[in-house]
Amino acid sequence: MSADARAAAGAPAAKKSGFRPDVQGLRAIAVLFVVLYHAGVPLITGGFVGVDVFFVISGFLISTHLLESLESHGRIRFGSFYAKRARRILPASLLVALLTVVAAWIWIPPLLMNEVAKGAVSVALYVPNMLFAVQGTNYLAETSPSVFQHYWSLGVEEQFYLFWPAILALGFWLCRRSERRLLIVVSVLTAISFVLCVVGMAISQPWTFFALPTRAWELGAGALVAFLLRSGAPWLRSVRTGLLSWLGLALLVAVGLLYTAATPFPGYTAALPVIATALLIVGGAAPGGANANRLLGVRPMQFVGAISYSLYLVHWPLQVIPQVVAGEESPLPLWVKLLLGAAAFPLAWLLFRVVERPVIAWAPLRQRSQLWTGAVALAASAALIATGGSSYLLTQEEEAATDVAAAAEAPRPNPEGTDFVPENLTPSLEEAEDDNPTIYADGCHRQEPDTDPSGCRVGDDEDAPLVFLFGDSHAASWYPALAELAEQGKIRLDTNTKSSCTSADLRQLESGVEYTECDEWRAGVIDRINAEQPDLVLLTNYPGAPPELVGGNDDFPAKWQAGLESTIGKIDGPAVDVPNQGSTSAVCLSAHLEDAQECAIPVGEAFDAPLVTASEAAATDSGATFLDLGRYFCNEENCPAIIGNTLVYRDGHHLTAHFSRQMAEPLWKELEPTIG
């Protein structure tokens, strides 16, 4: 061993932080993962883990800085810390948010501006992750992805920064200024957060994904790496420790290539990208050339790492806004999404050079009281709230219909549809999202966690035939029509509907986790059907966006047919469904008041032909009846969004309660022969 090598191997582990090119390169990997994933690159199916890499890096760097402050001064200068964080994070994020609001106001349909305004306010208040957690648990919220959805991770980090300095300072004091004892405290807190993350996946995946308590362990893992590198452990000084960075890099690449949207996440699966990042940071701190620092330190990686924050901010609106303009039913081709991803790089560089770096070094803020930074941050947040609110109010002043009325029209086969948005549209475009069957409000429709198989009865005539409605939210869409028949005394109705739970006998995944609540509920309903012996069971489900199945979705039509046959074999009932519009009709119509036919969906795209065939075959082979009501929704060319003066769909594939009620008589014409 040379003298230089011996010196390197024997050098004490550095406690002071400094610029690390390998960490900059790691930032580049993280942001490239995210950008390529959102651009739809087929190979990067697990690119979403780039955010987890950022979490670990942030936890490592912030904790290193805070521990140095505790070591040097015995305390943390909270004002200085928060001022530095504000100058680092807020200028670029708030400017991009403000420009995003303006771009949305110019280009996206007016009906979406309410969601844009909500997102802008949540960003200004540093709680976007909480907004998306709430929206993620609302099954009825079916809108395009928010232009601010990527801000959720900033919300997690900002909330972490709010609490973490105080936790470390208090822990340091309680541990009598012992960093080793503080390490135990941090380890326990990190472990608790990880357990919450794993357990939370079985309770609510959206809250587990977006909430700080269930994601803090990833930043905590970075903090543990900071403690480790400050410990001076002898093995950290070994050249061979650098091999850990190669192991981490291989693991991270494997995760990026092998994870998919069907992977349960975060939960325990998030541990792999977190561990990989920790290995890269630890290995990168080792002396010698055995680590991956040379690869991570190449100039292109350093450039992308430097602009990674700005790149993360700008790339998402560039993908989302053009897609909303094109319409969710018309996915942008891969080459367009790649061009949009490429366009994010020069914009990010400009943001980095003009905003991000200059504000950090801006003398008037750095040299004055931290209160100045706080005041500027509050003013910028207020400006964003004002811009978001103003843009929403401006769109509210725009007309949401023409000044021409349309005649009411009862449902009939081959409807031509109304080619404009009438002033007497029912429900109005603004009210469409909330035009739900009453079973959502009265608790008769079961949400995902609920397994109660009891139903709700409508109709007082004991001599009327008993009809069981059985299925997912599409079954719930038919409730107004069936309730109308029950109120007329033609049937007695028993409702059995549950969100995202098909009545077909299939083992489903919900957010990557086996949907056992669906299996339990379905079995309970079938048992109740066998006990009640109804005159008719009406099955209806939404296979238009096939649920993820345990074991995969290969040859889904065959599995769908087998699942329906299994259920029908235990009961007797016809099956119906409605067209799939692809995107929310009201949103499209708000941008095409004079040409509503632009929002009609071609017949060939409205139904999944193989699944329709499978459903019909399942009914026929099982001796049941297949009810084809598609002719009441579609003509030979398309499926209009407005028939007469009635809006047909409240979102992409659920009927409005108003139109469903109008379908009572056509539905009875189909049902009466099967009952008699």
Side-chain angles (χ1 to χ4, degrees):
M1 179 183 289
S2 67
D4 290 341
R6 283 195 300 271
K15 280 197 170 187
K16 295 297 180 183
S17 62
F19 176 74
R20 286 185 51 173
D22 61 308
V23 173
Q24 192 79 300
L26 186 52
R27 283 194 180 107
I29 293 176
V31 77
L32 287 173
F33 264 18
V34 173
V35 172
L36 293 175
Y37 173 71
H38 286 152
V41 175
L43 290 177
I44 315 297
T45 55
F48 52 85
V49 301
V51 173
D52 305 87
V53 176
F54 278 126
F55 282 162
V56 179
I57 293 174
S58 295
F60 165 68
L61 294 176
I62 291 301
S63 298
T64 298
H65 170 73
L66 294 173
L67 290 173
E68 288 175 356
S69 180
L70 289 172
E71 179 190 40
S72 301
H73 309 291
R75 62 187 180 88
I76 293 172
R77 294 185 173 92
F78 290 95
S80 175
F81 173 81
Y82 291 126
K84 287 179 180 178
R85 288 293 88 202
R87 291 195 295 269
R88 170 71 179 90
I89 295 174
L90 298 185
S93 69
L94 294 178
L95 177 61
V96 170
L98 191 147
L99 293 176
T100 298
V101 170
V102 174
W105 179 69
I106 294 173
W107 282 299
I108 74 171
L111 210 60
L112 286 179
M113 285 308 298
N114 181 36
E115 291 302 316
V116 172
K118 288 180 184 177
V121 171
S122 72
V123 169
L125 298 178
Y126 317 119
V127 290
N129 55 320
M130 304 307 294
L131 171 66
F132 301 132
V134 171
Q135 291 181 336
T137 59
N138 180 7
Y139 181 74
L140 299 179
E142 299 209 12
T143 57
S144 302
S146 169
V147 290
F148 296 112
Q149 191 160 299
H150 61 314
Y151 275 80
W152 77 267
S153 62
L154 271 71
V156 170
E157 289 200 19
E158 288 162 349
Q159 292 154 25
F160 180 81
Y161 297 154
L162 179 64
F163 297 110
W164 194 238
I167 290 173
L168 288 184
L170 178 61
F172 192 67
W173 178 71
L174 292 175
C175 292
R176 299 180 181 180
R177 303 171 66 89
S178 169
E179 196 166 305
R180 288 190 177 184
R181 293 173 184 169
L182 182 58
L183 169 61
I184 297 174
V185 173
V186 171
S187 299
V188 170
L189 292 175
T190 301
I192 291 173
S193 175
F194 178 71
V195 171
L196 288 175
C197 182
V198 174
V199 173
M201 286 291 290
I203 301 173
S204 173
Q205 191 271 346
W207 278 97
T208 303
F209 189 95
F210 290 116
L212 173 63
T214 49
R215 298 307 288 262
W217 68 272
E218 300 184 39
L219 293 110
L224 294 178
V225 172
F227 276 98
L228 175 63
L229 293 183
R230 289 173 53 80
S231 69
W235 64 271
L236 293 172
R237 299 192 293 269
S238 171
V239 173
R240 287 175 293 184
T241 301
L243 296 174
L244 293 177
S245 63
W246 288 107
L247 176 61
L249 183 60
L251 180 59
L252 188 58
V253 171
V255 167
L257 296 178
L258 298 178
Y259 277 19
T260 69
T263 302
F265 205 86
Y268 66 90
T269 55
L272 288 184
V274 169
I275 291 171
T277 307
L279 291 174
L280 274 157
I281 296 173
V282 172
N291 52 38
N293 291 9
R294 183 171 298 178
L295 174 62
L296 296 173
V298 297
R299 183 170 296 179
M301 296 291 281
Q302 294 298 294
F303 170 75
V304 175
I307 67 169
S308 59
Y309 178 57
S310 292
L311 182 57
Y312 181 81
L313 291 173
V314 303
H315 88 282
W316 180 249
L318 285 176
Q319 295 287 351
V320 172
I321 293 177
Q323 181 62 78
V324 173
V325 173
E328 296 302 315
E329 73 282 1
S330 303
L332 296 176
L334 178 60
W335 68 269
V336 172
K337 299 180 73 172
L338 289 175
L339 284 178
L340 292 170
F345 284 82
L347 290 176
W349 175 82
L350 184 64
L351 183 65
F352 173 77
R353 290 296 302 270
V354 176
V355 178
E356 189 179 341
R357 288 290 95 186
V359 172
I360 291 176
W362 195 28
L365 285 181
R366 289 173 60 91
Q367 296 172 2
R368 292 190 179 187
S369 167
Q370 287 89 13
L371 293 176
W372 278 91
T373 298
V376 173
L378 287 175
S381 296
L384 177 58
I385 293 174
T387 303
S390 298
S391 63
Y392 171 66
L393 292 175
L394 286 172
T395 58
Q396 292 303 294
E397 294 177 0
E398 298 179 12
E399 295 295 332
T402 64
D403 56 1
V404 180
E409 182 178 320
R412 59 180 177 80
N414 300 313
E416 294 182 4
T418 304
D419 57 7
F420 59 93
V421 179
E423 64 176 359
N424 59 335
L425 181 68
T426 306
S428 67
L429 298 184
E430 298 92 339
E431 297 169 339
E433 183 180 358
D434 297 322
D435 196 46
N436 301 306
T438 57
I439 55 174
Y440 284 97
D442 62 21
C444 291
H445 178 77
R446 307 298 178 218
Q447 297 299 335
E448 284 89 340
D450 198 345
T451 60
D452 180 7
S454 63
C456 293
R457 289 285 176 94
V458 182
D460 300 325
D461 187 351
E462 292 298 326
D463 295 327
L466 177 60
V467 175
F468 267 55
L469 176 63
F470 185 17
D472 56 17
S473 61
H474 272 222
S477 284
W478 285 102
Y479 171 81
L482 292 164
E484 179 74 15
L485 295 177
E487 291 165 3
Q488 294 173 8
K490 295 178 178 178
I491 64 171
R492 286 178 295 140
L493 175 65
D494 192 299
T495 65
N496 302 270
T497 61
K498 178 176 170 63
S499 290
S500 302
C501 181
T502 172
S503 55
D505 189 8
L506 297 169
R507 293 174 61 198
Q508 298 176 219
L509 296 174
E510 177 68 12
S511 300
V513 180
E514 186 167 357
Y515 195 5
T516 56
E517 297 88 349
C518 178
D519 299 333
E520 184 177 345
W521 173 81
R522 185 192 304 116
V525 172
I526 291 175
D527 287 343
R528 205 163 60 80
I529 290 173
N530 291 331
E532 295 277 349
Q533 290 294 303
D535 298 276
L536 180 71
V537 178
L538 183 64
L539 301 180
T540 180
N541 302 283
Y542 176 51
E548 290 292 333
L549 303 182
V550 175
N553 280 34
D554 294 339
D555 197 13
F556 182 80
K559 293 180 179 178
W560 178 253
Q561 180 176 341
L564 280 176
E565 289 178 357
S566 176
T567 298
I568 295 173
K570 302 170 184 175
I571 57 178
D572 177 25
V576 298
D577 202 6
V578 300
N580 179 18
Q581 288 292 103
S583 62
T584 303
S585 298
V587 171
C588 176
L589 290 167
S590 71
H592 296 90
L593 301 181
E594 303 284 350
D595 188 11
Q597 293 298 337
E598 284 291 322
C599 302
I601 192 74
V603 172
E605 300 176 13
F607 296 96
D608 189 319
L611 293 181
V612 172
T613 301
S615 299
E616 187 170 2
T620 302
D621 295 347
S622 303
T625 303
F626 182 79
L627 301 185
D628 183 6
L629 297 175
R631 64 187 183 278
Y632 288 97
F633 300 96
C634 308
N635 53 50
E636 294 182 356
E637 296 181 358
N638 58 42
C639 306
I642 301 174
I643 297 176
N645 67 333
T646 305
L647 183 64
V648 180
Y649 308 95
R650 64 171 172 81
D651 57 25
H653 50 87
H654 293 95
L655 299 177
T656 61
H658 280 81
F659 190 79
S660 176
R661 193 173 297 110
Q662 292 178 10
M663 282 292 295
E665 287 306 313
L667 181 59
W668 178 242
K669 289 180 182 179
E670 302 291 335
L671 289 181
E672 188 176 17
T674 68
I675 298 176

